[in-house]
Amino acid sequence: QVQLVESGGGLVQAGGSLRLSCSASGRTFTGRDMGWYRQVPGKEREVVAAISWNSFSTTYADSVKGRFTISRDNPKNTVYLQMNSLKPEDTAIYYCNTAWGPPPPLNSWGQGTQVTVSL
């Protein structure tokens, strides 16, 4: 069964950094545009960054531009999100999944990784 696994979250003070990783078992990211999403309880999941299958194109939500960087390593089947200058409003559960296409199926989401930014 395909499973997306996010890791790298944690508790960090405002201004700090974290690097998230996303890997998949039973599935390859090759040829797929990928994205990082986040969700806060009571709010809809939002995409914060996306990257094309060949890393040629990236997009970012306005709220994270200049602070977050998405990248990927296709041979390692891993997608990364480098988060710098973290703010308390970045606190959320972070997920990865396909991007720029139809909404990912509900049963394709992993457990996510919790990021908590304290003052």
Side-chain angles (χ1 to χ4, degrees):
Q1 184 175 350
V2 173
Q3 186 174 13
L4 291 167
V5 180
E6 300 90 351
S7 62
L11 173 63
V12 63
Q13 286 189 325
S17 299
L18 286 172
R19 188 193 194 203
L20 307 184
S21 299
C22 171
S23 60
S25 61
R27 175 180 176 183
T28 177
F29 292 153
T30 300
R32 295 174 179 259
D33 302 324
M34 297 297 297
W36 280 96
Y37 301 75
R38 68 186 180 189
Q39 187 170 26
V40 176
K43 293 189 177 181
E44 295 218 349
R45 188 155 28 205
E46 62 170 348
V47 59
V48 295
I51 187 168
S52 62
W53 66 272
N54 55 8
S55 300
F56 285 3
S57 298
T58 57
T59 58
Y60 297 92
D62 287 342
S63 57
V64 306
K65 275 181 183 176
R67 301 187 298 120
F68 290 11
T69 303
I70 188 171
S71 61
R72 65 192 297 163
D73 186 332
N74 285 340
K76 292 184 178 180
N77 207 33
T78 303
V79 180
Y80 303 98
L81 185 67
Q82 178 67 43
M83 305 188 296
N84 298 328
S85 303
L86 283 161
K87 304 176 181 180
E89 52 263 44
D90 295 319
T91 296
I93 300 175
Y94 285 72
Y95 305 86
C96 71
N97 214 317
T98 55
W100 293 334
L106 287 176
N107 63 358
S108 68
W109 295 93
Q111 294 297 309
T113 185
Q114 175 72 49
V115 171
T116 303
V117 184
S118 63
L119 288 169

